[in-house]
Amino acid sequence: MDSTSPIPAIGEALGREVKNSVGLNKFGDLDHNTPSETSGRYYHSELKEGDCVRMEVDLESTPRTVQFFVNGQAGMCYVSEIPSSVRIGCSALGEGTSFRIDNVSRLSRPTLIPQGMEEFRW
């Protein structure tokens, strides 16, 4: 999300309720709040227990981008023109829902966005 956006209180959802944000929900949909008409576009299949989700934020490209991967496979779209300063967040909703963050790292170079992938602008 845009680093100037307020962080929701504990227990509140990230995503559609937070302005200027983008995320991948458990149904595999890209939740993109700006503009709202892109929310819920198909991105990947529904996430299952044990799936590994990776998010790459490229603040050095022009335009700046974010893309998601599920089990190493790039999704069908990415978001461009993201703000120059972002805040990363996660939320787990529903009984028995959980996640684990295994790694936060700075890559020497981002994964190239394949040609033909659908682009949504921030």
Side-chain angles (χ1 to χ4, degrees):
M1 73 176 69
D2 187 327
S3 67
T4 62
S5 297
I7 295 177
I10 292 175
E12 289 184 18
L14 295 174
R16 294 175 201 242
E17 292 78 12
V18 179
K19 291 184 179 182
N20 301 319
S21 65
V22 62
L24 184 67
N25 68 30
K26 69 179 183 175
F27 302 109
D29 294 332
L30 182 71
D31 281 334
H32 184 209
N33 188 268
T34 310
S36 61
E37 63 267 13
T38 61
S39 271
R41 295 274 184 98
Y42 177 76
Y43 185 80
H44 201 279
S45 59
E46 188 167 339
L47 299 176
K48 303 176 295 309
E49 183 176 342
D51 279 349
C52 178
V53 176
R54 184 174 89 230
M55 176 180 65
E56 284 190 20
V57 179
D58 188 349
L59 295 174
E60 296 179 5
S61 65
T62 303
R64 292 177 294 275
T65 60
V66 61
Q67 66 175 321
F68 291 90
F69 301 80
V70 177
N71 299 321
Q73 180 182 1
M76 299 167 58
C77 52
Y78 67 100
V79 178
S80 67
E81 300 182 16
I82 63 172
S84 59
S85 179
V86 296
R87 180 178 299 160
I88 308 297
C90 299
S91 64
L93 300 175
E95 188 175 330
T97 303
S98 66
F99 65 90
R100 181 180 76 213
I101 299 173
D102 287 332
N103 188 352
V104 176
S105 59
R106 183 181 187 118
L107 302 175
S108 58
R109 71 180 86 119
T111 303
L112 293 177
I113 296 172
Q115 285 193 339
M117 186 179 282
E118 189 169 2
E119 175 184 13
F120 294 123
R121 294 183 182 209
W122 185 271

